[in-house]
Amino acid sequence: MAERNAGPSHRQPWNDPGETPLIQVRNVTKKFGDFYAVDDVSLDIFTGEFFSLLGGSGCGKTTLLRMLAGFETTSAGSITIDGQEMAGVPPYRRPVNMMFQSYALFPHMTVANNVAFGLRQEGASAAEIRDRVHAALELVRLAPFATRKPHQLSGGQRQRVALARALVKRPKVLLLDEPLAALDKKLREQTQFELVNIQETLGVTFVIVTHDQEEAMTMSSRIAVMDAGKILQVGTPGEIYEFPNSRFVAEFIGSVNLFEGEVVENAQGRMVVDCPEVGTKLLLDRSIDVSQHAHVAVAVRPEKMVISKNPPTGGEAGFNLLRGKVDEIAYLGDMSIYLIDLPGGQRIRVTAPNLTRRTDLPITWEDEVFVSWPPFAGLALAG
Protein backbone atom coordinates (compact mmCIF):
# COMPACT_ATOMS: atom_id res chain seq x y z
CA MET A 1 0.00 0.00 0.00
CA ALA A 2 1.23 3.48 -0.82
CA GLU A 3 2.36 5.66 2.03
CA ARG A 4 2.36 9.42 2.10
CA ASN A 5 3.99 11.89 4.42
CA ALA A 6 2.60 15.05 5.96
CA GLY A 7 2.43 18.11 3.74
CA PRO A 8 3.92 18.96 0.38
CA SER A 9 7.42 19.15 1.85
CA HIS A 10 7.13 15.56 3.11
CA ARG A 11 8.23 16.55 6.58
CA GLN A 12 7.86 14.13 9.45
CA PRO A 13 7.47 16.48 12.43
CA TRP A 14 6.66 13.61 14.79
CA ASN A 15 10.29 12.48 14.41
CA ASP A 16 11.68 15.92 15.28
CA PRO A 17 12.11 16.43 19.04
CA GLY A 18 12.20 20.19 18.44
CA GLU A 19 8.68 20.27 16.97
CA THR A 20 5.79 21.30 19.22
CA PRO A 21 2.55 19.39 18.57
CA LEU A 22 -0.42 21.44 17.42
CA ILE A 23 -2.76 19.12 19.36
CA GLN A 24 -1.74 17.57 22.67
CA VAL A 25 -4.04 15.00 24.27
CA ARG A 26 -2.89 14.01 27.75
CA ASN A 27 -4.39 11.10 29.71
CA VAL A 28 -7.88 11.86 28.42
CA THR A 29 -10.73 9.71 29.71
CA LYS A 30 -14.42 9.94 28.89
CA LYS A 31 -16.94 7.98 30.94
CA PHE A 32 -20.65 7.52 30.36
CA GLY A 33 -21.78 6.12 33.69
CA ASP A 34 -19.52 3.14 34.33
CA PHE A 35 -18.58 2.78 30.65
CA TYR A 36 -15.17 4.05 29.49
CA ALA A 37 -15.69 5.35 25.95
CA VAL A 38 -12.14 6.76 25.92
CA ASP A 39 -9.68 5.32 28.42
CA ASP A 40 -6.52 7.26 29.40
CA VAL A 41 -5.54 8.33 25.86
CA SER A 42 -2.45 10.42 25.16
CA LEU A 43 -1.66 11.64 21.66
CA ASP A 44 0.32 14.28 19.76
CA ILE A 45 -0.79 15.61 16.35
CA PHE A 46 1.41 18.06 14.43
CA THR A 47 0.72 20.99 12.11
CA GLY A 48 0.10 19.86 8.55
CA GLU A 49 -0.74 16.25 9.36
CA PHE A 50 -3.55 14.22 7.85
CA PHE A 51 -4.17 12.13 10.95
CA SER A 52 -6.62 9.22 11.14
CA LEU A 53 -8.39 7.76 14.17
CA LEU A 54 -9.09 4.23 12.97
CA GLY A 55 -11.12 1.51 14.64
CA GLY A 56 -14.34 -0.47 14.67
CA SER A 57 -17.71 0.67 15.95
CA GLY A 58 -17.67 1.60 19.63
CA CYS A 59 -13.88 1.88 19.90
CA GLY A 60 -14.03 5.53 21.08
CA LYS A 61 -12.74 7.31 17.96
CA THR A 62 -15.80 9.53 17.44
CA THR A 63 -16.01 10.37 21.13
CA LEU A 64 -12.37 11.48 21.03
CA LEU A 65 -13.06 13.61 17.94
CA ARG A 66 -16.08 15.21 19.64
CA MET A 67 -13.91 16.10 22.65
CA LEU A 68 -11.45 17.81 20.31
CA ALA A 69 -14.37 19.75 18.84
CA GLY A 70 -15.79 20.65 22.26
CA PHE A 71 -19.08 18.79 21.81
CA GLU A 72 -18.13 16.44 24.67
CA THR A 73 -16.27 17.30 27.86
CA THR A 74 -13.47 15.16 29.24
CA SER A 75 -13.99 13.14 32.42
CA ALA A 76 -10.26 13.38 33.10
CA GLY A 77 -7.11 14.59 31.37
CA SER A 78 -6.44 17.62 29.18
CA ILE A 79 -6.60 18.72 25.54
CA THR A 80 -4.41 21.55 24.26
CA ILE A 81 -4.75 23.01 20.76
CA ASP A 82 -2.20 25.51 19.48
CA GLY A 83 -0.89 26.05 22.99
CA GLN A 84 -4.29 26.78 24.56
CA GLU A 85 -5.90 24.49 27.12
CA MET A 86 -9.39 23.64 25.85
CA ALA A 87 -11.11 23.02 29.20
CA GLY A 88 -14.19 25.27 29.31
CA VAL A 89 -13.67 26.59 25.76
CA PRO A 90 -16.93 26.24 23.78
CA PRO A 91 -16.86 24.75 20.26
CA TYR A 92 -17.35 28.09 18.50
CA ARG A 93 -14.26 29.56 20.19
CA ARG A 94 -11.92 26.68 19.34
CA PRO A 95 -9.53 26.95 16.34
CA VAL A 96 -11.25 23.94 14.76
CA ASN A 97 -14.15 23.22 12.46
CA MET A 98 -16.00 19.95 12.04
CA MET A 99 -17.37 18.25 8.95
CA PHE A 100 -20.13 15.83 9.86
CA GLN A 101 -20.95 12.51 8.23
CA SER A 102 -24.43 13.76 7.28
CA TYR A 103 -22.97 16.99 5.72
CA ALA A 104 -25.83 18.95 7.44
CA LEU A 105 -26.42 21.30 4.51
CA PHE A 106 -29.33 23.76 4.61
CA PRO A 107 -31.72 22.52 1.88
CA HIS A 108 -33.34 25.95 1.30
CA MET A 109 -29.99 27.72 0.72
CA THR A 110 -27.86 27.80 -2.40
CA VAL A 111 -24.41 26.27 -2.43
CA ALA A 112 -22.83 29.70 -2.01
CA ASN A 113 -25.08 30.62 0.91
CA ASN A 114 -24.38 27.29 2.61
CA VAL A 115 -20.66 27.97 2.39
CA ALA A 116 -21.11 31.59 3.51
CA PHE A 117 -23.26 30.77 6.54
CA GLY A 118 -20.48 30.65 9.13
CA LEU A 119 -18.88 33.85 7.85
CA ARG A 120 -22.21 35.69 8.08
CA GLN A 121 -22.64 34.46 11.64
CA GLU A 122 -19.25 35.98 12.45
CA GLY A 123 -20.24 39.32 10.89
CA ALA A 124 -17.75 39.32 8.01
CA SER A 125 -18.21 42.01 5.39
CA ALA A 126 -20.06 41.28 2.16
CA ALA A 127 -16.88 41.70 0.10
CA GLU A 128 -14.90 39.34 2.32
CA ILE A 129 -17.68 36.76 2.24
CA ARG A 130 -17.88 36.94 -1.56
CA ASP A 131 -14.14 36.51 -2.03
CA ARG A 132 -13.69 33.74 0.52
CA VAL A 133 -16.72 31.77 -0.66
CA HIS A 134 -15.53 32.00 -4.26
CA ALA A 135 -12.04 30.84 -3.27
CA ALA A 136 -13.46 27.93 -1.27
CA LEU A 137 -15.71 26.81 -4.12
CA GLU A 138 -12.82 27.08 -6.58
CA LEU A 139 -10.75 24.88 -4.27
CA VAL A 140 -13.34 22.10 -4.32
CA ARG A 141 -14.16 22.69 -8.02
CA LEU A 142 -17.75 23.76 -7.42
CA ALA A 143 -17.71 27.42 -8.48
CA PRO A 144 -20.10 26.75 -11.44
CA PHE A 145 -22.62 25.26 -8.98
CA ALA A 146 -22.77 28.24 -6.62
CA THR A 147 -26.45 29.02 -7.31
CA ARG A 148 -27.74 25.45 -7.08
CA LYS A 149 -29.56 23.95 -4.10
CA PRO A 150 -28.26 20.81 -2.34
CA HIS A 151 -30.99 18.60 -3.86
CA GLN A 152 -29.65 19.48 -7.31
CA LEU A 153 -26.23 18.02 -6.52
CA SER A 154 -24.80 14.52 -6.48
CA GLY A 155 -23.64 12.94 -3.22
CA GLY A 156 -20.01 13.71 -4.03
CA GLN A 157 -20.84 17.34 -4.80
CA ARG A 158 -22.74 17.74 -1.53
CA GLN A 159 -19.74 16.31 0.28
CA ARG A 160 -17.52 18.96 -1.33
CA VAL A 161 -19.96 21.74 -0.38
CA ALA A 162 -19.71 20.61 3.24
CA LEU A 163 -15.92 20.59 2.93
CA ALA A 164 -15.88 24.12 1.47
CA ARG A 165 -18.15 25.36 4.29
CA ALA A 166 -15.80 23.84 6.87
CA LEU A 167 -12.67 25.29 5.24
CA VAL A 168 -13.97 28.79 4.43
CA LYS A 169 -13.52 29.84 8.06
CA ARG A 170 -9.81 28.92 7.82
CA PRO A 171 -9.59 26.70 10.88
CA LYS A 172 -6.22 25.48 12.15
CA VAL A 173 -7.70 22.00 12.50
CA LEU A 174 -10.42 20.37 10.41
CA LEU A 175 -12.19 17.45 12.11
CA LEU A 176 -13.89 14.96 9.77
CA ASP A 177 -16.33 12.35 11.07
CA GLU A 178 -16.61 9.48 8.53
CA PRO A 179 -16.90 12.08 5.73
CA LEU A 180 -16.92 9.57 2.85
CA ALA A 181 -19.22 6.93 4.31
CA ALA A 182 -22.21 7.90 2.15
CA LEU A 183 -20.31 7.69 -1.16
CA ASP A 184 -20.08 4.66 -3.43
CA LYS A 185 -16.76 2.83 -3.69
CA LYS A 186 -15.45 4.45 -6.88
CA LEU A 187 -16.43 7.98 -5.85
CA ARG A 188 -15.04 7.37 -2.37
CA GLU A 189 -11.65 6.38 -3.79
CA GLN A 190 -11.60 9.44 -6.06
CA THR A 191 -12.57 11.75 -3.19
CA GLN A 192 -9.84 10.35 -0.96
CA PHE A 193 -7.18 11.71 -3.32
CA GLU A 194 -9.05 15.01 -3.68
CA LEU A 195 -9.06 15.43 0.11
CA VAL A 196 -5.33 14.73 0.27
CA ASN A 197 -4.61 17.31 -2.45
CA ILE A 198 -6.78 19.94 -0.75
CA GLN A 199 -5.16 19.29 2.62
CA GLU A 200 -1.65 19.56 1.16
CA THR A 201 -2.58 22.73 -0.76
CA LEU A 202 -3.90 24.48 2.35
CA GLY A 203 -1.56 22.99 4.94
CA VAL A 204 -4.49 22.69 7.36
CA THR A 205 -4.25 19.87 9.91
CA PHE A 206 -6.90 17.23 9.18
CA VAL A 207 -8.06 14.74 11.82
CA ILE A 208 -10.39 12.12 10.39
CA VAL A 209 -12.42 9.37 12.03
CA THR A 210 -12.89 6.25 9.92
CA HIS A 211 -13.50 2.52 10.26
CA ASP A 212 -12.19 1.90 6.74
CA GLN A 213 -8.60 0.62 6.80
CA GLU A 214 -7.92 1.33 3.13
CA GLU A 215 -9.26 4.86 3.52
CA ALA A 216 -6.91 5.53 6.43
CA MET A 217 -3.96 3.95 4.61
CA THR A 218 -4.58 6.01 1.47
CA MET A 219 -4.93 9.44 3.05
CA SER A 220 -3.01 9.52 6.32
CA SER A 221 0.36 10.80 7.31
CA ARG A 222 -0.15 8.77 10.51
CA ILE A 223 -2.82 6.49 11.94
CA ALA A 224 -3.91 5.80 15.52
CA VAL A 225 -5.52 2.36 15.79
CA MET A 226 -8.13 2.30 18.58
CA ASP A 227 -9.95 -0.49 20.39
CA ALA A 228 -12.08 -0.46 23.55
CA GLY A 229 -11.32 3.21 24.21
CA LYS A 230 -7.53 2.84 24.02
CA ILE A 231 -4.95 3.67 21.38
CA LEU A 232 -3.06 0.48 20.55
CA GLN A 233 -0.55 1.84 18.05
CA VAL A 234 0.33 5.11 16.33
CA GLY A 235 2.44 5.12 13.19
CA THR A 236 2.68 5.84 9.49
CA PRO A 237 0.64 3.58 7.20
CA GLY A 238 3.80 1.61 6.38
CA GLU A 239 4.71 1.15 10.04
CA ILE A 240 1.21 0.05 11.00
CA TYR A 241 0.94 -2.41 8.11
CA GLU A 242 4.44 -3.88 8.08
CA PHE A 243 5.20 -3.76 11.81
CA PRO A 244 1.99 -4.11 13.84
CA ASN A 245 2.66 -4.21 17.58
CA SER A 246 -0.11 -6.66 18.47
CA ARG A 247 -2.31 -9.38 17.05
CA PHE A 248 -5.28 -7.02 17.06
CA VAL A 249 -3.51 -4.44 14.90
CA ALA A 250 -2.11 -7.12 12.57
CA GLU A 251 -5.58 -8.57 11.99
CA PHE A 252 -7.41 -5.23 11.84
CA ILE A 253 -5.17 -3.69 9.18
CA GLY A 254 -5.41 -5.68 5.97
CA SER A 255 -5.35 -9.48 5.84
CA VAL A 256 -2.87 -11.62 7.73
CA ASN A 257 -2.10 -15.26 8.45
CA LEU A 258 -1.19 -16.07 12.06
CA PHE A 259 0.77 -19.18 13.05
CA GLU A 260 1.05 -20.11 16.73
CA GLY A 261 4.31 -21.57 17.94
CA GLU A 262 7.20 -21.77 20.38
CA VAL A 263 10.51 -19.93 20.07
CA VAL A 264 13.34 -22.45 19.67
CA GLU A 265 16.04 -20.04 18.53
CA ASN A 266 16.40 -16.30 19.11
CA ALA A 267 19.83 -14.76 18.63
CA GLN A 268 21.63 -12.21 16.47
CA GLY A 269 18.50 -11.03 14.72
CA ARG A 270 17.43 -14.54 13.73
CA MET A 271 14.37 -16.26 15.17
CA VAL A 272 13.07 -19.77 14.64
CA VAL A 273 9.55 -20.66 15.76
CA ASP A 274 8.33 -24.25 15.90
CA CYS A 275 4.68 -24.48 14.80
CA PRO A 276 3.50 -28.10 15.35
CA GLU A 277 -0.05 -27.30 14.24
CA VAL A 278 1.10 -26.61 10.69
CA GLY A 279 3.96 -29.09 10.81
CA THR A 280 6.92 -26.83 10.14
CA LYS A 281 9.41 -24.38 11.61
CA LEU A 282 9.26 -20.73 10.65
CA LEU A 283 12.39 -18.67 10.10
CA LEU A 284 12.35 -14.91 10.66
CA ASP A 285 15.16 -12.44 10.04
CA ARG A 286 13.79 -10.08 12.68
CA SER A 287 13.72 -11.10 16.33
CA ILE A 288 11.80 -9.71 19.29
CA ASP A 289 12.71 -9.60 22.97
CA VAL A 290 11.22 -12.84 24.27
CA SER A 291 12.76 -15.76 26.12
CA GLN A 292 13.52 -19.21 24.74
CA HIS A 293 10.39 -21.40 24.56
CA ALA A 294 8.12 -18.34 24.72
CA HIS A 295 4.80 -18.64 22.91
CA VAL A 296 4.43 -16.25 19.97
CA ALA A 297 2.30 -15.79 16.88
CA VAL A 298 4.02 -15.35 13.53
CA ALA A 299 2.17 -12.94 11.21
CA VAL A 300 2.60 -13.28 7.44
CA ARG A 301 0.75 -11.10 4.94
CA PRO A 302 -0.92 -13.01 2.07
CA GLU A 303 0.84 -11.05 -0.67
CA LYS A 304 4.26 -12.02 0.70
CA MET A 305 3.53 -15.73 0.24
CA VAL A 306 4.25 -17.67 -2.95
CA ILE A 307 1.89 -20.40 -4.14
CA SER A 308 3.07 -23.13 -6.52
CA LYS A 309 2.22 -26.64 -7.66
CA ASN A 310 5.80 -27.81 -7.28
CA PRO A 311 8.14 -27.56 -4.28
CA PRO A 312 10.01 -24.25 -4.38
CA THR A 313 13.76 -24.20 -4.95
CA GLY A 314 16.23 -22.05 -3.04
CA GLY A 315 15.79 -20.61 0.44
CA GLU A 316 16.64 -22.50 3.61
CA ALA A 317 15.34 -26.04 3.42
CA GLY A 318 12.81 -27.04 6.04
CA PHE A 319 11.65 -23.52 6.87
CA ASN A 320 8.62 -21.46 5.84
CA LEU A 321 7.11 -24.19 3.68
CA LEU A 322 3.53 -25.43 3.91
CA ARG A 323 1.52 -27.87 1.86
CA GLY A 324 -2.25 -27.77 1.49
CA LYS A 325 -5.27 -27.97 -0.79
CA VAL A 326 -6.98 -25.07 -2.56
CA ASP A 327 -10.54 -24.78 -1.24
CA GLU A 328 -11.68 -21.37 -2.56
CA ILE A 329 -10.52 -18.94 -5.24
CA ALA A 330 -11.60 -15.35 -5.82
CA TYR A 331 -10.59 -13.81 -9.16
CA LEU A 332 -10.46 -10.01 -8.78
CA GLY A 333 -8.91 -9.10 -12.11
CA ASP A 334 -5.65 -7.60 -10.92
CA MET A 335 -5.08 -10.42 -8.45
CA SER A 336 -6.47 -13.75 -7.25
CA ILE A 337 -7.14 -14.79 -3.67
CA TYR A 338 -6.57 -18.43 -2.69
CA LEU A 339 -7.96 -19.97 0.49
CA ILE A 340 -5.90 -23.04 1.28
CA ASP A 341 -6.70 -25.74 3.84
CA LEU A 342 -3.72 -27.21 5.67
CA PRO A 343 -3.67 -30.82 6.92
CA GLY A 344 -3.91 -29.66 10.56
CA GLY A 345 -7.17 -27.84 9.90
CA GLN A 346 -5.91 -24.24 9.62
CA ARG A 347 -6.99 -22.20 6.61
CA ILE A 348 -4.58 -19.65 5.15
CA ARG A 349 -5.04 -16.87 2.61
CA VAL A 350 -2.59 -16.26 -0.24
CA THR A 351 -2.85 -13.53 -2.87
CA ALA A 352 -1.11 -13.58 -6.24
CA PRO A 353 -0.98 -10.88 -8.94
CA ASN A 354 -2.43 -11.82 -12.33
CA LEU A 355 0.51 -10.83 -14.49
CA THR A 356 -0.72 -12.37 -17.74
CA ARG A 357 -3.92 -11.79 -19.69
CA ARG A 358 -5.82 -15.01 -19.12
CA THR A 359 -9.11 -16.07 -17.57
CA ASP A 360 -8.13 -19.65 -16.73
CA LEU A 361 -6.02 -19.80 -13.56
CA PRO A 362 -2.87 -21.97 -13.48
CA ILE A 363 -3.93 -23.19 -10.04
CA THR A 364 -7.52 -24.25 -9.50
CA TRP A 365 -9.88 -25.75 -6.93
CA GLU A 366 -8.79 -28.93 -5.13
CA ASP A 367 -5.19 -28.58 -6.34
CA GLU A 368 -2.47 -29.71 -3.95
CA VAL A 369 -0.11 -26.75 -3.60
CA PHE A 370 3.00 -25.55 -1.80
CA VAL A 371 3.11 -22.19 -0.01
CA SER A 372 6.41 -20.55 0.91
CA TRP A 373 7.79 -17.16 1.90
CA PRO A 374 11.17 -15.54 2.62
CA PRO A 375 12.43 -14.93 6.20
CA PHE A 376 11.78 -11.16 5.96
CA ALA A 377 8.05 -11.75 5.40
CA GLY A 378 7.25 -13.03 8.89
CA LEU A 379 6.84 -10.95 12.05
CA ALA A 380 6.69 -12.42 15.56
CA LEU A 381 4.05 -11.05 17.94
CA ALA A 382 4.35 -11.79 21.65
CA GLY A 383 1.46 -12.69 23.94
Side-chain angles (χ1 to χ4, degrees):
M1 295 188 183
E3 178 179 343
R4 61 180 294 273
N5 294 316
S9 63
H10 302 298
R11 297 186 312 118
Q12 295 187 357
W14 53 88
N15 288 329
D16 184 352
E19 285 276 353
T20 300
L22 177 65
I23 301 172
Q24 294 175 298
V25 178
R26 293 292 178 267
N27 306 110
V28 164
T29 294
K30 178 62 179 180
K31 293 176 64 179
F32 296 100
D34 294 329
F35 174 69
Y36 284 80
V38 175
D39 189 0
D40 194 26
V41 163
S42 293
L43 183 65
D44 288 334
I45 301 174
F46 293 84
T47 300
E49 280 206 77
F50 200 130
F51 194 95
S52 288
L53 299 172
L54 173 66
S57 297
C59 73
K61 58 188 186 297
T62 297
T63 301
L64 180 55
L65 193 79
R66 289 177 62 83
M67 286 192 286
L68 293 176
F71 299 134
E72 297 284 356
T73 58
T74 62
S75 301
S78 65
I79 295 175
T80 301
I81 302 178
D82 198 25
Q84 180 184 4
E85 164 66 49
M86 291 290 106
V89 179
Y92 59 88
R93 295 206 179 277
R94 298 190 177 204
V96 307
N97 212 337
M98 189 159 179
M99 181 176 162
F100 296 95
Q101 182 176 341
S102 64
Y103 308 151
L105 301 179
F106 298 110
H108 62 288
M109 291 185 181
T110 64
V111 165
N113 286 337
N114 263 285
V115 175
F117 181 79
L119 297 177
R120 289 201 175 97
Q121 293 293 103
E122 291 180 345
S125 68
E128 183 181 8
I129 291 173
R130 182 185 64 249
D131 292 344
R132 286 171 65 173
V133 167
H134 178 73
L137 290 177
E138 285 284 345
L139 183 68
V140 299
R141 297 185 290 111
L142 283 179
F145 300 86
T147 59
R148 291 193 185 183
K149 299 285 183 67
H151 74 272
Q152 297 173 303
L153 304 176
S154 68
Q157 290 168 337
R158 288 195 294 272
Q159 187 262 356
R160 282 186 277 154
V161 174
L163 180 62
R165 184 178 62 183
L167 290 171
V168 76
K169 293 179 68 175
R170 299 173 182 170
K172 293 182 178 177
V173 180
L174 181 61
L175 307 173
L176 304 100
D177 184 13
E178 301 271 11
L180 310 182
L183 307 181
D184 64 63
K185 179 176 173 59
K186 192 165 186 178
L187 183 56
R188 189 164 63 246
E189 291 175 351
Q190 174 187 334
T191 307
Q192 288 167 9
F193 288 103
E194 288 181 353
L195 277 177
V196 169
N197 290 333
I198 289 169
Q199 186 267 336
E200 291 190 338
T201 298
L202 296 177
V204 174
T205 303
F206 279 24
V207 181
I208 185 172
V209 157
T210 181
H211 66 276
D212 188 316
Q213 299 95 325
E214 288 190 10
E215 187 169 287
M217 297 285 284
T218 299
M219 297 191 296
S220 306
S221 55
R222 288 190 303 155
I223 299 168
V225 181
M226 295 190 68
D227 183 51
K230 292 183 177 292
I231 290 180
L232 303 185
Q233 185 173 359
V234 178
T236 65
E239 290 167 348
I240 295 285
Y241 186 81
E242 300 291 355
F243 302 105
N245 65 0
S246 67
R247 299 184 195 208
F248 179 91
V249 175
E251 292 184 297
F252 190 78
I253 303 292
S255 299
V256 71
N257 299 293
L258 291 176
F259 303 101
E260 307 289 338
E262 179 183 300
V263 176
V264 295
E265 182 181 334
N266 189 14
Q268 298 178 334
R270 171 188 168 106
M271 177 178 278
V272 177
V273 180
D274 185 21
C275 301
E277 187 177 352
V278 295
T280 191
K281 291 181 179 178
L282 306 184
L283 173 64
L284 297 81
D285 67 1
R286 181 184 178 94
S287 61
I288 60 173
D289 186 17
V290 293
S291 61
Q292 194 86 340
H293 306 300
H295 182 268
V296 299
V298 176
V300 187
R301 298 290 185 185
E303 73 277 6
K304 292 181 170 59
M305 294 175 148
V306 177
I307 184 173
S308 60
K309 284 187 176 179
N310 300 311
T313 58
E316 295 201 40
F319 294 107
N320 302 353
L321 180 62
L322 305 173
R323 188 169 186 171
K325 179 183 288 188
V326 177
D327 184 63
E328 298 287 352
I329 302 174
Y331 175 79
L332 302 182
D334 59 337
M335 70 173 183
S336 294
I337 301 172
Y338 298 88
L339 299 183
I340 300 165
D341 290 335
L342 305 180
Q346 183 171 348
R347 172 173 285 194
I348 63 172
R349 179 186 181 106
V350 181
T351 59
N354 295 319
L355 301 177
T356 59
R357 188 184 298 276
R358 57 186 297 173
T359 57
D360 59 315
L361 298 173
I363 294 174
T364 189
W365 289 266
E366 302 299 318
D367 278 353
E368 295 281 347
V369 294
F370 294 89
V371 176
S372 60
W373 60 93
F376 72 79
L379 180 70
L381 303 171

